[in-house]
Amino acid sequence: MISDFNDPELSGKYLGTITKDFLNVSEILKEASYQVRSRKFSKFPIFPISKEEQPIGQLLLGKEEKNLDWNYYITYVDEFIQRKLIAEELREEFENNYKNPDEFCCLFVMDKEFTSFVYIPFPEE
């Protein structure tokens, strides 16, 4: 369920555009993650990304407004549980696998038939 860049489809088809976008939006996503956690909405912010509009989370950055390849949404693990995208009995496993949000951004990549969680390290300051 939790992916990294070892997924061949991710590496070949998506890695370039995700990385290019991420360099342009990483500071915004890092601050949004901090705000979600500091305001105690959730310890587990998730940023769904897609090229088309989608119903998960709230739109944070539209691809047109920032000249990006992807739309960036913001939500957290509770919405994934409510929508049954993560089974309640897998919540603990998800939370245990969740990487340090001060160092990594949890993206949920959605593009047609491909969906996957991806953790991307924030650039060093």
Side-chain angles (χ1 to χ4, degrees):
M1 178 197 307
I2 309 299
S3 182
D4 56 27
F5 291 136
N6 295 331
D7 184 319
E9 186 170 5
L10 179 68
S11 296
K13 194 171 179 184
Y14 300 103
L15 187 56
T17 64
I18 291 171
T19 303
K20 182 181 74 140
D21 266 11
F22 190 74
L23 290 173
N24 292 321
V25 301
S26 63
E27 287 183 32
I28 295 167
L29 299 182
K30 190 172 189 175
E31 178 61 24
S33 171
Y34 172 78
Q35 292 297 330
V36 164
R37 292 177 289 122
S38 68
R39 294 177 185 189
K40 303 201 185 321
F41 292 121
S42 177
K43 293 180 183 176
F44 307 99
I46 301 171
F47 296 91
I49 68 171
S50 65
K51 295 188 178 198
E52 308 297 324
E53 287 186 30
Q54 58 80 31
I56 304 170
Q58 298 294 315
L59 183 63
L60 182 64
L61 295 166
K63 63 183 184 179
E64 283 80 24
E65 69 182 275
K66 290 279 190 181
N67 195 25
L68 303 167
D69 288 325
W70 299 86
N71 293 305
Y72 288 78
Y73 296 79
I74 185 168
T75 189
Y76 27 90
V77 70
D78 293 330
E79 182 175 357
F80 276 73
I81 302 288
Q82 290 166 0
R83 290 181 175 271
K84 298 184 180 2
L85 297 168
I86 297 174
E88 179 65 51
E89 58 271 13
L90 296 177
R91 175 193 285 265
E92 186 175 343
E93 180 183 346
F94 177 85
E95 292 177 355
N96 288 337
N97 286 316
Y98 191 91
K99 294 189 178 190
N100 181 340
D102 289 323
E103 297 177 18
F104 291 88
C105 184
C106 178
L107 300 178
F108 183 66
V109 180
M110 296 177 288
D111 189 47
K112 297 180 178 67
E113 293 87 43
F114 181 81
T115 58
S116 181
F117 284 99
V118 178
Y119 289 92
I120 298 185
F122 287 112
E124 298 287 324
E125 294 187 26

